[in-house]
Amino acid sequence: MGDATTPSVSSTGTRTKLERGRGALGPALELVHTGRAPTRAVLTAELGVTRATAGAVAAELEALGLIRVDSRPGASGGTAGTGGAQGRPSHRLSVAEDGPVALAAQVHSDGFRAALVGLGGRIVATAPGKVTVSADPAQVLGAVVRAGAELLAESGRRCVGAGLAVPSAVAEPDGTALNPLHLAWPAGSPVRDIFAECVKAAGIDGPALTGNDVNLAALAEHRHGAGRSAQHLLCVATGHRGVGGALVLDGRLHSGSSGLALEVGHLTVNPEGRACHCGGRGCLDVEADPLAFLTAAGRSPGPEVSLLQQARDLLREEPGEPAVRAATEELIDRLGLGLAGLVNILNPDRIILGGLHRELLYADPERLRAVVADRSLWGRSGGVPILPCTLDHNSLVGAAELAWQPVLDDPLGALA
């Protein structure tokens, strides 16, 4: 008999496989997280490792409480070509429904929302906060973090960190809100530091990170929504006020040298148009947002619900009313002109539209696509697909992606 402290051949082999696969833990988790590895066979192929190594990696991620491995054979276990040895159905992989969560927070001109978001971009719980956003960012961020902390306490889940989406360019490396034009916050507010302090004061573990709301919406849509598989994804959206844009290149957000890239709201689309908060005139920000739509339709916005909801309701409930139809065409033409300029500069392989812009696309997709094709250099040679965003609360999901990223990079290190 061998020494009791000497590992058996089988356990030594398992450990060796696991050690070889530890560098693949992060890539493997991202594949499951983004839905690109529904089975162990697909995971094996995507990672370029042996079945044994892929099995060890999946088992380790399951032991960390991040994924579930279902070894039961069945027709739903995969598609043709995903089976295991001797044609057996491959083990199914999915994110753990009862696993850790990230705290996600979003602030906009009409209030805030907090949520818990698990792997896979799945929103577990939300806590809307319809409040007047004060001029003190610390007060607002403290309130949204407290709402998130209550959700965490109720859920009993482990938290991997927190992410915040704000309607402003966020300058790097300081994490300051450079131009919160639709909030009363001072320019240059240190939102990342304030948010981190609030998260720490609430006793929430993990990093606290901050980003622009449309950037984060684009990231979420690229990983979990309408932007999947796009190499060069352009996202343009209007939320409660203003217009934002984002670009994902080869799976990564393009934020420029200091986090300020793709401020598409300040493209001029009507030189004789409305005065913009930035000091210009006729920018997309004021020519193609919910307030612009309501104004063009001759409607006075009310205080009861958000401007975005009022614009959506009008577009959905009275699409044939002449003033509403004229406003719809006007905003589509302005939006299409801006998109055409962006296509000429960026050459994306897909455009996705969010907020009210998604509703405008639904209202008259042919008109919007025709405007873009007519005004863009490459529009007549095949065109660029223009699609609606598909995720509810995509900025919240994107904020959670910030907090999940350290886990995706190094699952063992982040959860140790």
Side-chain angles (χ1 to χ4, degrees):
M1 293 179 63
D3 191 320
T5 61
T6 302
S8 65
V9 172
S10 59
S11 64
T12 301
T14 300
R15 271 209 301 273
T16 302
K17 293 168 193 168
L18 183 55
E19 286 164 3
R20 286 201 304 267
R22 275 198 168 137
L25 284 175
L29 181 60
E30 183 167 339
L31 286 166
V32 179
H33 172 60
T34 56
R36 290 177 290 153
T39 68
R40 201 171 70 183
V42 175
L43 182 68
T44 301
E46 288 288 335
L47 293 178
V49 297
T50 65
R51 288 198 302 270
T53 298
V57 168
E60 180 74 359
L61 292 174
E62 186 173 37
L64 289 171
L66 296 171
I67 73 169
R68 292 287 176 264
V69 181
D70 187 352
S71 60
R72 294 172 297 174
S76 62
T79 58
T82 63
Q86 300 176 356
R88 292 173 299 189
S90 180
H91 292 46
R92 295 188 292 273
L93 306 178
S94 61
V95 298
E97 292 188 359
D98 57 350
V101 294
L103 169 61
Q106 181 181 9
V107 177
H108 50 75
S109 59
D110 291 310
F112 67 72
R113 183 180 294 269
L116 304 182
V117 184
L119 281 169
R122 187 172 61 90
I123 295 179
V124 174
T126 60
K130 186 68 172 65
V131 299
T132 300
V133 178
S134 77
D136 181 3
Q139 180 181 345
V140 179
L141 298 183
V144 71
V145 169
R146 285 192 296 273
E150 290 176 6
L151 288 178
L152 277 172
E154 292 169 4
S155 72
R157 301 282 193 98
R158 178 176 183 175
C159 184
V160 299
L164 170 68
V166 292
S168 168
V170 178
E172 300 294 347
D174 299 326
T176 56
L178 189 66
N179 59 343
L181 297 178
H182 302 293
L183 302 177
W185 294 357
S189 296
V191 290
R192 181 176 299 156
D193 289 345
I194 295 171
F195 183 60
E197 290 170 4
C198 293
V199 169
K200 183 178 180 181
I204 298 171
D205 294 330
L209 304 167
T210 304
N212 168 262
D213 53 1
V214 180
N215 275 354
L216 299 181
L219 179 62
E221 292 284 347
H222 186 264
R223 290 183 174 180
H224 308 293
R228 278 181 173 170
S229 78
Q231 291 297 309
H232 306 295
L233 175 69
L234 172 64
C235 175
V236 177
T238 177
H240 298 264
R241 289 291 302 275
V243 174
L247 183 67
V248 179
L249 297 177
D250 295 321
R252 291 190 171 275
L253 278 172
H254 174 69
S255 56
S257 61
S258 55
L260 308 180
L262 269 293
E263 279 293 298
V264 306
H266 301 290
L267 286 175
T268 299
V269 294
N270 182 13
E272 305 302 321
R274 301 174 178 89
C276 183
H277 310 277
C278 72
R281 183 171 289 277
C283 298
L284 265 180
D285 212 54
V286 291
E287 294 288 338
D289 78 339
L291 181 60
F293 178 74
L294 293 169
T295 302
R299 306 303 171 94
S300 299
E304 297 82 13
V305 297
S306 72
L307 292 173
L308 176 59
Q309 191 59 53
Q310 291 177 64
R312 278 175 170 164
D313 290 344
L314 184 60
L315 190 56
R316 292 172 180 176
E317 295 169 8
E318 302 182 50
E321 199 275 328
V324 174
R325 184 64 214 168
T328 301
E329 292 176 354
E330 179 181 320
L331 259 73
I332 286 175
D333 291 348
R334 300 297 187 207
L335 174 62
L337 183 60
L339 292 178
L342 292 168
V343 167
N344 290 338
I345 296 168
L346 302 173
N347 188 213
D349 59 10
R350 192 178 310 174
I351 299 171
I352 57 174
L353 302 178
L356 182 62
H357 293 165
R358 178 173 66 173
E359 307 296 332
L360 293 172
L361 176 63
Y362 287 142
D364 197 340
E366 295 310 314
R367 185 184 185 97
L368 179 59
R369 291 179 177 124
V371 173
V372 175
D374 183 59
R375 295 299 190 108
S376 61
L377 293 172
W378 316 117
R380 294 182 180 85
S381 58
V384 181
I386 304 175
L387 305 173
C389 290
T390 57
L391 299 178
D392 293 329
H393 308 303
N394 50 20
S395 291
L396 274 175
V397 175
E401 292 294 317
L402 291 179
W404 275 113
Q405 193 59 53
V407 181
L408 298 174
D409 291 338
D410 181 8
L412 279 174
L415 298 180

